[in-house]
Amino acid sequence: MQQTFDITRTSRKILSQFLEKYTLEELNAIPEGFNNNLIWNIAHIIVVQQMLVYKLSGLPMIISDEMVEKYKKGTRPERKVLQAEVNEIKSLLFKTIDKTKVDFDNKVFKNYLEYPTSTGFVLKNVEDAMAFNYFHEGLHIGIMMGIRKFL
């Protein structure tokens, strides 16, 4: 599992570079042909990781219900994100993964509600969830690389 966490941390480093490189206006921009923006993709990645790993394990997530409602699957940007929210998202990028690693090492994840993903994978335990999560993050990083070409 160490490699899974290492891959996820690498993904999060790439995401943090988007937050460093692009202005608030660019993070919020939705280019023609896209239905979301850079900041939505980053927040969505955080929300999905928390839902896949914690919610399906029956454990409390460290993100707010409000954040889940704004960035879960099936949502799209409804308004411009302010700098304070960007700062919160930035802090959660690594905080969520660090806590997951500690909880995994402490064997906190005992139960898991089997979950069939929309891509056809069936997640049966937290290890499956983390492996699928880095696949999911990679998909969204790819979308973000497309978006950045139009900024």
Side-chain angles (χ1 to χ4, degrees):
M1 277 298 289
Q2 184 59 46
Q3 186 176 29
T4 298
F5 283 102
D6 291 346
I7 291 168
T8 303
R9 287 192 66 75
T10 298
S11 169
R12 299 299 173 99
K13 286 176 188 170
I14 293 167
L15 294 169
S16 71
Q17 291 169 359
F18 278 91
L19 292 172
E20 297 298 325
K21 183 175 180 181
Y22 294 96
T23 65
L24 184 60
E25 184 178 324
E26 290 169 325
L27 290 170
N28 277 293
I30 303 173
E32 191 173 327
F34 290 88
N35 60 9
N36 54 47
N37 54 32
L38 294 175
I39 196 62
W40 182 91
N41 277 279
I42 296 169
H44 171 74
I45 284 169
I46 292 167
V47 165
V48 168
Q49 185 270 337
Q50 288 288 289
M51 293 179 77
L52 289 176
V53 174
Y54 284 89
K55 187 172 184 175
L56 291 172
S57 293
L59 298 169
M61 298 181 286
I62 65 169
I63 59 172
S64 68
D65 291 340
E66 178 187 9
M67 186 173 185
V68 171
E69 288 306 309
K70 283 171 52 178
Y71 298 108
K72 68 184 179 181
K73 181 181 176 184
T75 64
R76 57 186 308 162
E78 299 293 331
R79 62 168 178 74
K80 300 277 185 198
V81 172
L82 302 176
Q83 187 61 49
E85 189 172 356
V86 171
N87 295 344
E88 178 188 9
I89 291 165
K90 185 176 181 179
S91 77
L92 288 168
L93 263 182
F94 293 101
K95 182 179 176 184
T96 50
I97 296 305
D98 293 343
K99 178 161 180 18
T100 303
K101 175 76 166 89
V102 168
D103 288 346
F104 183 82
D105 289 346
N106 289 329
K107 301 185 184 342
V108 170
F109 303 104
K110 298 186 186 316
N111 301 309
Y112 197 82
L113 180 62
E114 190 173 292
Y115 178 73
T117 69
S118 59
T119 55
F121 296 107
V122 177
L123 309 180
K124 297 181 181 192
N125 53 48
V126 74
E127 292 86 356
D128 290 352
M130 284 302 298
F132 178 79
N133 182 68
Y134 67 74
F135 165 78
H136 177 259
E137 292 193 15
L139 289 175
H140 283 277
I141 289 171
I143 292 166
M144 293 170 66
M145 289 177 172
I147 289 172
R148 75 178 180 185
K149 291 180 182 178
F150 297 96
L151 298 178

